[in-house]
Every structure is written in structure tokens, then in C-alpha cells.
Amino acid sequence: MTAFSALGEDEARELLIRELAKDEYQQAKPGLLDEILRNITEWFTDLLNSLQGASPNLGTLFIVIAVLLVIGAALWLVRPRRNARAAEAGQVFDADQVLSAEEHRRRAEAAAARGDWDESCTERFRAVVRSLEERAVLARQPGQTADEAARGIGPAFPALAADVLQAATVFDAVRYGKLPASEADSRAAARLDGQLQASRPVLNADTPAMEVPR
């Protein structure tokens, strides 16, 4: 109790601000943090007003305990959203849809034709990954991220490894970073897809037999 009573109202408020600045709150659903802060500010003001005239040590103790309770409640609200975002972030394919490489290519080409470079790049990278899964160059893994796919593809096509990693970076930037792709990105992804289709994967003693591309 002595440690709590050593904290004044300003320190208690600073404790709350520092806690809510942590990643688990910042990565929450947009607008949630603002709503939490607004509600807490109103509640905090009402609490201070209600404690006017009370013993300073007792009032501060109540404030600190209330702040800790609010922090716990805010963390409970935010954690499910954060976990959901973490589970989703970076995945190449949507869990509820399975398309062939050719279907992803058609989508990429249609998007490029209308100037939608974002969809063109994401669908083209999906075509790349799906194509190499169909050729048994890359193992199918539910929830596989773009980076994981790129690192799985790279050793089989060392001359194109840097380009594959760049395409994966563009995919993540567009799909999860909300950054726009360019026409040049779209063309680079299409070129990479064609090069991979025309290339024979490199095999080594530790690599299972793979289907030779037609």
C-alpha cells in the first residue's frame, strides 16, 4: 500500500498512458484504442471529481487500483483482435478459397488490364506459389506466409531467388501493409512467373524428387 500511495494522480495517469502505448493496443482494430482512451479519460475525470475531499493517500490508492483494473480490461478486449490479426498477417492464400495457378494468373491479367496493380501483384504472386505447389517444387502448407514461400522457392531457383523475395515483399506490402503497387511491380511479377515456368528447379541430395516443368 505504501508503494501505491507514493504515486500521485499524475503518475497514475502516466502509468495508464504508457501501458496503452504498448504494441498489443496499437495493433488493435483501428479506432478501438481511441475509443478506449476516450472512455477512460471521461471515467478518470469523474473518478477524480468524486474523490475530492477524500484522504490523499486513500484517494490515490483507489485511483491506482482503478487504473490497473482498466488496464486489465483493455488488454482483455484487445488481445482477441491482436491474435486474429497475427494469425492472418502474411498468409498467401485465403483459407476459404482454393484456386489453380492458371486461375490466379487470369485474375492477375484481368487486374492488370484495368490498371489494378495491387490485385495484379497479389494474384500473380499467388499464381507463382500455386504453380510451384502444383509442380511439387513447394510443399503445400496451410497458412504459409509470403516470406516462407519465397524462402522455400529460392533454393530451387537460385538465379531467381532475389526476384522471388522481392515479389513476396511487394505482396506483403500491398496485402497487409496497405501500400500501393506500381505498374512496374506488376510487370516484374508477371515476368518472374514466366521465368519460373520456363526454368527447371535445382535438385540436390537433400531435396525430394520434383516434377520437371513442362
Side-chain angles (χ1 to χ4, degrees):
M1 183 176 296
T2 302
F4 280 167
S5 62
L7 289 175
E9 294 172 4
D10 291 341
E11 288 86 348
R13 187 181 288 104
E14 180 64 25
L15 173 65
L16 180 61
I17 292 172
R18 286 200 306 269
E19 180 66 24
L20 291 176
K22 292 181 179 179
D23 286 345
E24 51 261 47
Y25 302 103
Q26 298 297 330
Q27 294 178 12
K29 181 179 179 181
L32 178 61
L33 182 60
D34 290 339
E35 182 180 352
I36 290 174
L37 286 173
R38 184 176 61 254
N39 292 336
I40 288 175
T41 299
E42 294 173 357
W43 168 84
F44 207 92
T45 300
D46 293 340
L47 178 63
L48 291 178
N49 291 335
S50 68
L51 289 175
Q52 287 182 357
S55 168
N57 287 343
L58 182 59
T60 299
L61 176 59
F62 281 146
I63 290 172
V64 172
I65 291 175
V67 166
L68 294 177
L69 289 174
V70 170
I71 288 173
L75 182 59
W76 181 81
L77 287 171
V78 169
R79 181 169 293 164
R81 293 175 172 84
R82 185 191 179 208
N83 291 343
R85 285 166 59 90
E88 177 188 8
Q91 292 184 6
V92 177
F93 299 106
D94 295 329
D96 59 348
Q97 189 174 52
V98 179
L99 301 177
S100 68
E102 196 55 40
E103 288 171 317
H104 283 297
R105 286 192 186 101
R106 284 197 292 269
R107 289 188 171 198
E109 290 164 2
R114 62 177 182 268
D116 186 345
W117 311 124
D118 289 358
E119 184 173 349
S120 175
C121 287
T122 55
E123 287 299 323
R124 184 65 71 169
F125 185 74
R126 286 168 171 164
V128 164
V129 175
R130 183 67 79 211
S131 174
L132 295 178
E133 288 177 347
E134 292 171 353
R135 291 166 60 185
V137 174
L138 186 67
R140 293 200 179 199
Q141 299 178 20
Q144 182 171 233
T145 68
D147 182 70
E148 289 170 343
R151 295 185 186 283
I153 295 168
F157 301 92
L160 298 172
D163 294 331
V164 173
L165 189 57
Q166 176 60 25
T169 299
V170 171
F171 176 90
D172 278 340
V174 170
R175 178 73 174 169
Y176 299 105
K178 306 303 181 184
L179 298 177
S182 66
E183 182 177 0
D185 292 327
S186 175
R187 289 179 176 177
R191 182 170 58 252
L192 172 64
D193 187 21
Q195 290 172 322
L196 287 168
Q197 290 182 73
S199 299
R200 183 186 298 270
V202 174
L203 304 179
N204 56 55
D206 298 324
T207 304
M210 300 177 184
E211 178 184 338
V212 177
R214 291 188 291 272

